[in-house]
Amino acid sequence: MAVTQQRQADTEPHDGLKFVRLCFYHVYIACTLGLSTVLLIPRSQSGAVAGGGAIFQASWVFLLGLTVVTLLTIRQHFGPNFFFAFMVCAYVTSSAIWSVNPSSTLTYGALFAGNILVAYSITTEYSIDQIIRYISRIILVLTVLGLAAYAARLSFTFYFDHQSRANLLGIQPLRGLFPHKITGGLYAVMGAILALKLYRGPLRLAAVSLYALFVVLSGSASALILGCTATLIYFVVNFAVRRKIRSGMFALLFGTAACVTSITVYLNQSSILDLLGRDSTLTGRTSLWQYGLDEWQKHPILGWGFNGYFSSDYAQYLRHISAFQNYNVPHFHQSYIQTMVDLGLVGLILLVVMLSYILYFSYKWALQDTSGAGCATFTLASSIAVAGFAIFVVFEYNHFATVILFIMYFGLRRRFAKQPNNSSATRMLTANQPKMRT
């Protein structure tokens, strides 16, 4: 029944303006996945950036302008989400006041605010299950096109790193139409999760096979580990949903299992790294993480300002780390540490609260839903949370994982919003909201 309703919702006629906004959302999400990065920032055969940075930044400023226009054309709003979006945008942009590089913080903070506003806008017009279906199609299209271009030996789909490492097949790693082999592998894992739950028959088999091929060709050890982790989480949450385990009990069991798994991985990390062909410092990442923690302690509450630290002279010491002497380090390669450095404990609490909310309510949704969208959302959020320990995925102004995190948060808040009371103000606020489908 739920699947039938969803298909009907996806085929409902849109007015012209709403259709234009839907096209904009598709383009914006494709850009956060890296399409604009690949097309507007060309690289040489050695992997060095060959210009295009100004055009790339201008494209995001243009998208920010379209975001504001889009927001102004929406007639229906959801008060709690709008207030949350406003507060987060205000905090990030106002961090320019204490930032070590105010101009960088203000510029990239405004672009990050655009990410939040797009996530808010799309969730006011579409249910979360509709949105993740749109997203699954975008990831699949970009993956197929990227693999096709890689097979045609188009160099812009190759990934070149400063250590000249090959993938598991001994050939040049693949990034496809994504900005990096690691993010490309992450998005392929996300696409596989969505395909497993939302597709059926030959399409599901073909999609998952293509995503698996992409991960192997990317040569990303992070993607391989994340793929195995996401698969495990996928089967665990599906088993729990079939057994109708309640949300509180599942949270306890899942948290315990996560702790046991983390301890097991920690005790066997040397063997795991040897198997993946990586050194004990994770190619210098552990050194970066320690430096990041040291720098965070200098500004623990509010941080150094969004995107302020690495655009300032304070980051010059990183060039003295041997693993990064030929590499311009852009961040700490870890979401939680980077968030603490950029936005302090306030930012870290925001991130943890959002992830906790999404995990709890997506599982609650999975217990009520037969389409699989709830399970997919839970697995996506879990994958982002796990990836954050070794990859910088949130909060970043042009990163898909950041956008979908806010989409899931806003979408679930709308889905589980309390029924309106009898006050006229509440009735006016919710009168035009689309009905929740379960």
Side-chain angles (χ1 to χ4, degrees), residues 9 31 69 84 105 112 121 127 140 161 182 203 211 221 224 268 309 315 332 363 367 386 391 423:
C31 289
V69 173
F84 182 85
T105 295
F112 176 56
S121 298
S127 64
L140 182 59
D161 67 11
I182 295 178
L203 177 59
Y211 289 131
L224 288 171
N268 296 277
Y309 182 83
F332 285 110
Y363 180 77
L367 292 175
V386 173
I391 312 173
S423 69

Side-chain angles (χ1 to χ4, degrees), residues 281-312:
T281 67
L282 294 174
T283 323
R285 281 182 174 83
T286 54
S287 300
L288 270 179
W289 299 343
Q290 185 57 57
Y291 276 116
L293 290 172
D294 292 341
E295 296 300 275
W296 161 70
Q297 293 176 26
K298 298 176 182 178
H299 301 277
I301 306 301
L302 300 178
W304 293 71
F306 184 76
N307 203 58
Y309 182 83
F310 275 94
S311 58
S312 71

